[in-house]
Amino acid sequence: MAAAAGNVEFIRARSDKREYRRLLLPNALECLLISDADTDKAAACMEVGVGSFSDPEGLEGLAHFLEHMLFYASEKYPGEQDYTKYISEHGGSSNAFTSSETTNFYFDVNADNFEEALDRFAQFFIKPLMSQDAVLREIKAVDSEHKKNLLSDGWRMHQLQKHLASKDHPYHKFSTGSWETLETKPKERGLDIRLELLKFYENYSANLMHLVVYGKESLDCIQSLVESLFSHVKNMDQRSFKCPSQPLSAEHLQLLVKAIPIIEGDYLKISWPVTPNIQFYKEGPCRYLSHLIGHEGEGSIFHIIKELGWAMDLVAGAGSDSNEYSFFSVGMRLTDAGHDHMEDIIGMVFKYIHLLKEDGIHEWIFDELASINETEFHYQDKVHPISYVTATVSSMRLFPPEEWLVGESLPSKYAPNRINMILDELSPERVRILCESKKFEGSTNCAEPWYNTSYSIENVTPYMIKQWIQKAPTEKLYLPKPNIFVPKDLSLKEVPDKVTFPTILRKTPLSRLWYKPDMLFFTPKVYIIIDFHCPLSSHSPEAAVSTSLFVDLLVDYLNAYAYDAQIAGLFFSIYLTSTGFQVSVGGYNDKMRVLLHAIMKQIVNFVVKPNRFSALKETSVKDYQNFNFSQPYSQASYYLSLILEEKKWPLVEKLQALSKLESDSLAKFVPHLLSKTYLECYVQGNIEPGEAESIVQEIEDTIFNTPNSVFKPMSPSQYLVKRVIMLEKEIKCCYQIEGLNQKNENSSVVQYIQVHHDDALSNIKLELFSLISSQPAFNQLRTVEQLGYITYLSLRSDRGVWALEVVIQSTVKDPSYLDSRIDEFFKTFESKIHELSDKDFKRNVKSLIDSKLEKFNNLWEESGFYWGEIEAGTLKFDRVESEVALLRELKKEEFIEFFDEYIKVDAPQRRTVSVQVFSGNHLAEFKKAIAEADPPKTCRITDIFGFKRSRPLHRSLKGGPGLITMD
């Protein structure tokens, strides 16, 4: 029986040049084929309609465990690494995730290697081996993943919400699995976990699968490839999992749950079970309501509670990955004052819901949203194929084929009755409130069993909520006004000259403008970066935290005004850099200048508002304190940066400085900060050169050329460059420290090998080594030795200094041992490099060339690359072409010589530092490690700053404003 190729008329974006076809295989596997002649990467995603809700009773995490196991060997490809090795050696990546009702597997690879990669992928669903040996090892990996999550508030609170649901609903279950659920308990019951796994795998039936395949070839070619590879997937004619409806019955509603988090900070989440939006996706009722309840402009819930100093953010919306149930939630981060006014805030939310009911549903608001959604859909940016296939596959399960590409992104039917139906569901009778705060310590009386989260429950009656509404603030709530930022002019500008790379259009003592028109994407969008180079921004911990708070306040002040811009597809960000701060604006060019002008006016007219200063300072202090609760590998990475970077202030000093900072001292600091400024500007996209110049002229006029301006041009001698220390050859430095949260069972090591300063020939050799070694390192250290779930080898570049780093986080072994295993990996890998066949060498070189020649997918990627070159000071806009030319000439002997010189364990030029963070589990090993005498050729770092002062610095690549001449 032949496969059916459905001739579907897909609803698609006007800008989309790809070709699509629906294909139904004889085994009932439904496929979407995508042909993109311009792609350099191919990708595929399989969604199986079996998730953690299908876990058998008493085998929690079996679906997630099966997801892990399928990456191992298959009958056709019996080598354990046959799939992952092939993918990583051909420029690709692969992953999977298990959700409640589905499990998704996906990968991408260089387009020329797609057929072989897809064949290996197909075996997951045809004949995996699931050997006994691999089963035991992967249970350890699942357990390591679970232990990583134990101290994560996101996982803890999610499980608490599930715990407080109907016990007979699968939502109540623990879904990720652990050593206890997959090894200890099954053994006690006399179960063979491998046999249970094989039995569970029978649920993986072709009729429950959806596949998206994205390639370069024609649709006919892709179809014959898919037919030949996936027709062998068995159709067991399984029934799809039918989720019982809502997981919350009456006893789980009208509750206030108070829970104790790990980290500092108070969070409030108000939620209601609602009819899933997916059932009315053409009407989009939840979208309409989340737009209004989550609005941040004047008159909104958030704007009022923010001005009162009670909250730092607010998100609202419906979500679940099920067709059968959903929750509408309003979540926010509270300040200490907000915690004290929690009842007032809840009253405010209900007051606004009441306003929406009283005021009625407005067709103009629906139309405005529909118009914004339509523009966004038709001018969507092209994304990486791997992102596209994973985003598209879930539509296949939920929507008719013609709507697979659009899903629920285009609500088009105005149905006030549907919106009112959801509004009625947001009632005091159906609410459930979760508040997280350390202030509840000592007053909770329950513990969630899987993560041991302490909590207590109180009843919240509609009468109580009525009282809260009455005592809520009297500030006036009102609906947003029409959005002035909705783009009207989406025409494309004429570009007179074909420009390959960014050029300098304009240069003054105050600024420099780099410009590049859009020659690739022909979209009505633009990307603008204004980099404020302020030499006084970071000369002390006090300056660094003051600059940071200034930036936070700027964003805070602009929020209400710019929120409409964001809804209309025009985004801005202001963030700290190592030499000042940066403003970037991206999106439709039509209203771009309006927003940019508002941002510049805000900078010029900056004043410190004491109430916002207090709220942001408080939040900032908690964020610094929360570093203590971050993952140990993040802590190790922080210490490494502290060792490497000149003038990087330690967090503890910044926290001290921040604690002492007052609003009047910040008010004095800001004019001082801005008194010396240089602007590096970058403009790319649908914009003419004259307009780019006039934008920068306008910014200069706004900032520098006003009568009372504090801004003054910066002297070239003040140009700041941050540099990286040079480690010593043949010496291994070691920094050992206790983890900041001794309750965390994980220890971590980061081994950093500093190799060279940005140089095309050295770059390609190091990239080639990373390509060849990253998958074997993962396989040896994680899969074979089971040292820890987080394990990787990757490239790293700090201010143009290139290096390799190997990271392991582990509960099973201490960091000194982990470090020795990394050394051992490099020793055994030495023979693999030396024995590399000509064929393998050429294959890896080709793979790296393919990856380098990958085209940019959208304007942001292209701008990001060019701005990266400007920001780093390298200005190698032709980097790809020059490095590819060198790769084509590279000899295997040169590559091996490079490895022997810089990377292998006893290499004469090897410069290494190992940062080791010891958890409470490994305190005995820590004491032993710091008491031991240093082996030869090692240097123990006990004082990071003393060590830094003793080392020379790598030169800087940044020339600064004085060194680039106008051509």
Side-chain angles (χ1 to χ4, degrees), residues 286-297:
C286 287
R287 204 172 248 235
Y288 177 95
L289 290 173
S290 63
H291 167 66
L292 294 174
I293 296 170
H295 208 280
E296 297 182 16

Side-chain angles (χ1 to χ4, degrees), residues 191-203:
L191 295 179
D192 178 330
I193 196 71
R194 182 171 178 270
L195 292 180
E196 296 299 321
L197 198 63
L198 293 171
K199 201 191 304 177
F200 188 73
Y201 181 69
E202 289 170 16
N203 294 311

